Amino acid sequence: MRRTPRRASRVNRRSLPALLTALAALTGWLMGPSTPARAVDCEYPAFGDINADGQPELAVGVPTAADGKGAVDIYYDRTLPPTRYTAASLGFTPSAIGEGFGSSVLIRDLDGDGCSELIVGAPHADTGAGRVYVARGTPSGLATTPTWPVLRSPATSAAFGAALTSTYTADRRFVLLIGAPSYDEPAAESGAIYLVTTDDATGALSTPIAITQDTPGIPGASEQGDRFGSVLNGNIVGVPDEDIGTAVDAGSIVRLLIKSVSPTLSISGQAWNQNSSGVSGTAETDDRFGAALSGGYYLLVGVPGENVGSLVDAGMVHLFQQPDMNGAAGFRQLKSYTQDSAGVPGKSEAHDGFGTAVAIGYLESGESGWNLWIGSPGETINGVLHAGSVTRLAFGGSRLPTTSLYAGHGLPGTLQRQTIIGRTLGVVGDDYIMEEDGSTSLLIGAPFTDRDGKVTAGIVIFSRYSFGSGPRSVVLASTAVEQELYGSVFGG
């Protein structure tokens, strides 16, 4: 298989100015300090590395913590318990009950100093308008004094911050994408995405620009309940609540082709669904095509509501290829899978939800190799109802075997009723970046697992896949809290 081109560099190293240019005062969508001061000594970073120790940090969002005030756990050392951060501990105004700080999490280097920042969504803040927080990365961990302003929703009841991702424009400008799926213009919960760029010299954030399905160049139309912006992955938008003809919530994906954001927005897009040429299946009610996304050059798309024959919600996934993130040509489906497909372990069953979560990871094992992980949280195993599983599929020369993973079989623990393992999945770092020993790592969420006597405390399984030592999976250390649903949100 031809090697996939890697990004030009992990870190854009820029000279550090002695003094940073002060940002002009902004009102409304920005609150707090407006002049980011760069960290120093961030010399040997990895992608998603907050403290520049050469290892990407693990981030787990806990929006249910403390009566829904929310928190984010950062694992600086995977063998130790995490450091828990709240809005208050990071120096921001304390969250109110129900704001959901940690509903979305992203780790990105905004100012190019080598230490990545923690970006956190709180979509229920400000009575549902939503906020996004940015905490600076430093060699000693996250700074607890704010240096970036809080981003506030320009619209009421928008759930601004429900999803976060990033991409690049055609001229290689970094763009932060913020989902606001409850945005109500022109119709209730039609949804929007806000685009925010950073200043190359200072990392300062631009005024956010909203796009919807009514924006010129974006396919489709803003319709009630579409919730555009609920699922984000790089330049791909999942719209699982999109109606396709008379098929309600059949779902679609939109490829954003962003030429520039500022000083002038230049954007277009392409829409794909199961009625599109070259895409397997048929758009049907409640398929929810686009409910889960992962990848870049290769893109996995989950369709957890797909009926396989008479089996309701058995689920399906599609594998697409995207050779050029900003090019209109070349995007195409390579394969589609159900649990009845040749080479896929198990079999399709009603309510498995195969494709509820997806992840794709890259290995170099003498030749290029990819691994696809697909969550089936509704899977019943050995008579244990909705224990859940994760299917690992080898693709493109991977040496790891195709298999089904569940508690007691490739994953730690014992089978529990309704633990729904595979409800969430996350790749550590990104799909192009391996750890130094040639391994890629996966986070598996089982948020409904009972633990240490606590009902639905939840667990996170850290699975490391190396061609040197094979797969190793452990439950990350954390304090069990009743009904915290730990493992519901992972940082991207």
Side-chain angles (χ1 to χ4, degrees), residues 74-357:
I74 299 295
Y75 288 83
Y76 294 105
D77 184 330
R78 299 160 194 182
T79 65
L80 299 175
T83 300
R84 174 157 291 192
Y85 294 95
T86 64
S89 69
L90 291 170
F92 299 103
T93 301
S95 299
I97 290 174
E99 289 192 354
F101 179 89
S103 293
S104 60
V105 181
L106 189 68
I107 300 176
R108 292 291 187 272
D109 184 2
L110 295 184
D111 60 3
D113 67 355
C115 287
S116 292
E117 278 64 59
L118 176 70
I119 308 167
V120 183
H124 307 301
D126 297 333
T127 63
R131 295 183 181 184
V132 171
Y133 300 81
V134 180
R136 174 173 297 286
T138 77
S140 58
L142 289 172
T144 55
T145 300
T147 52
W148 269 279
V150 176
L151 282 69
R152 293 175 59 186
S153 172
T156 60
S157 304
F160 178 82
L164 295 167
T165 192
S166 69
T167 188
Y168 289 88
T169 63
D171 58 359
R172 303 303 298 166
R173 292 286 305 278
F174 174 89
V175 184
L176 174 66
L177 288 77
I178 302 172
S182 296
Y183 184 85
D184 286 338
E185 296 292 338
E189 295 198 330
S190 54
I193 299 169
Y194 286 87
L195 309 181
V196 179
T197 58
T198 57
D199 185 279
D200 284 339
T202 67
L205 302 174
S206 69
T207 301
I209 298 173
I211 62 169
T212 70
Q213 287 182 287
D214 285 344
T215 298
I218 304 300
S222 293
E223 299 167 323
Q224 182 173 342
D226 279 352
R227 295 183 58 78
F228 183 72
S230 61
V231 183
L232 301 176
N233 178 81
N235 67 318
I236 307 294
V237 182
V239 197
D241 299 307
E242 178 96 49
D243 297 347
I244 306 298
T246 59
V248 177
D249 297 345
S252 71
I253 60 173
V254 175
R255 290 186 70 220
L256 298 178
L257 307 174
I258 308 173
K259 291 184 179 180
S260 66
V261 176
S262 62
T264 302
L265 177 66
S266 178
I267 190 170
S268 60
Q270 300 172 327
W272 299 74
N273 60 62
Q274 287 184 296
N275 285 347
S276 299
S277 176
V279 179
S280 304
T282 302
E284 299 166 319
T285 293
D286 294 328
D287 276 351
R288 307 200 76 242
F289 177 84
L293 303 170
S294 180
Y297 183 86
Y298 293 116
L299 176 75
L300 270 180
V301 178
V303 197
E306 178 82 16
N307 297 341
V308 178
S310 62
L311 301 172
V312 176
D313 297 343
M316 182 180 193
V317 297
H318 298 261
L319 177 64
F320 290 86
Q321 186 179 36
Q322 182 178 220
D324 183 355
M325 184 177 66
N326 290 296
F331 187 79
R332 63 191 180 101
Q333 178 189 290
L334 296 179
K335 293 186 176 183
S336 64
Y337 304 89
T338 70
Q339 286 183 289
D340 286 344
S341 298
V344 177
K347 64 179 181 178
S348 294
E349 298 169 316
H351 308 297
D352 277 353
F354 182 76
T356 296

Side-chain angles (χ1 to χ4, degrees), residues 60-66 68-73 84 100-103 105 484-489:
V60 179
V62 198
T64 56
K69 293 179 181 178
V72 175
D73 280 358
R84 174 157 291 192
F101 179 89
S103 293
V105 181
E484 193 169 67
L485 305 178
Y486 199 72
S488 296
V489 178

Side-chain angles (χ1 to χ4, degrees), residues 11-35:
V11 177
N12 180 14
R13 298 182 181 273
R14 308 180 184 116
S15 60
L16 298 179
L19 294 173
L20 298 176
T21 304
L23 268 157
L26 296 173
T27 59
W29 71 277
L30 291 179
M31 301 186 301
S34 58
T35 306

Side-chain angles (χ1 to χ4, degrees), residues 41 44 75 95 121 142 213 238 242 256 346 402 410 435 449 456 460:
D41 299 327
Y44 305 105
Y75 288 83
S95 299
L142 289 172
Q213 287 182 287
E242 178 96 49
L256 298 178
T402 289
E435 299 186 43
T449 299
T456 61
V460 173

